Amino acid sequence: MKQVVSALQYVFAGIGGFVGWFLGGFDGFLYALLVFVVIDYITGLMCGWANHDLESNKATKGLFKKMFIFFYIIIAHRLDVLMHVDYIRIGVCYMYAVGEVLSIMEN
């Protein structure tokens, strides 16, 4: 059992390291954006449930939109690395974080 737990720790550490490298590290900007994305998705589901308008197509579409946010962050981080700067990814994080906060307030 100890070997299984140890192997799982290595797997999750590898996945976390790869995602951190791919997204440019898991700093405060990305953490805040992740929290806002999760809160927005949950409030959207709650709003749909309260209005009796909860559909799987809408939820799936919203989930794909959230996934593409992180795809754009990957692109922004790659541009940062390519241009030897560090502000493109931060700007993209800010932009989407503000959009998510507005969406949370709208829900």
Side-chain angles (χ1 to χ4, degrees):
M1 186 63 179
K2 238 181 184 181
Q3 292 174 340
V4 172
V5 171
S6 179
L8 284 175
Q9 287 176 342
Y10 285 125
V11 167
F12 284 119
I15 291 171
F18 179 74
V19 169
W21 169 79
F22 214 58
L23 290 171
F26 198 70
D27 56 356
F29 302 112
L30 194 61
Y31 181 72
L33 179 62
L34 181 65
V35 168
F36 291 146
V37 164
V38 169
I39 290 172
D40 181 43
Y41 190 72
I42 290 172
T43 57
L45 288 176
M46 288 172 28
C47 188
W49 181 72
N51 294 333
H52 304 289
D53 192 30
L54 189 61
E55 297 178 9
S56 63
N57 290 338
K58 286 183 181 179
T60 305
K61 184 179 175 184
L63 194 58
F64 277 113
K65 281 182 171 181
K66 304 301 181 197
M67 287 177 16
F68 270 103
I69 288 173
F70 293 101
F71 178 71
Y72 294 137
I73 291 175
I74 291 170
I75 292 172
H77 173 64
R78 293 288 112 197
L79 285 172
D80 276 348
V81 170
L82 182 68
M83 295 172 36
H84 303 289
V85 296
D86 61 350
Y87 52 82
I88 298 173
R89 179 182 162 273
I90 293 171
V92 170
C93 285
Y94 274 141
M95 179 186 72
Y96 280 112
V98 168
E100 292 298 312
V101 169
L102 290 174
S103 180
I104 290 168
M105 289 190 307
E106 187 178 90
N107 285 337

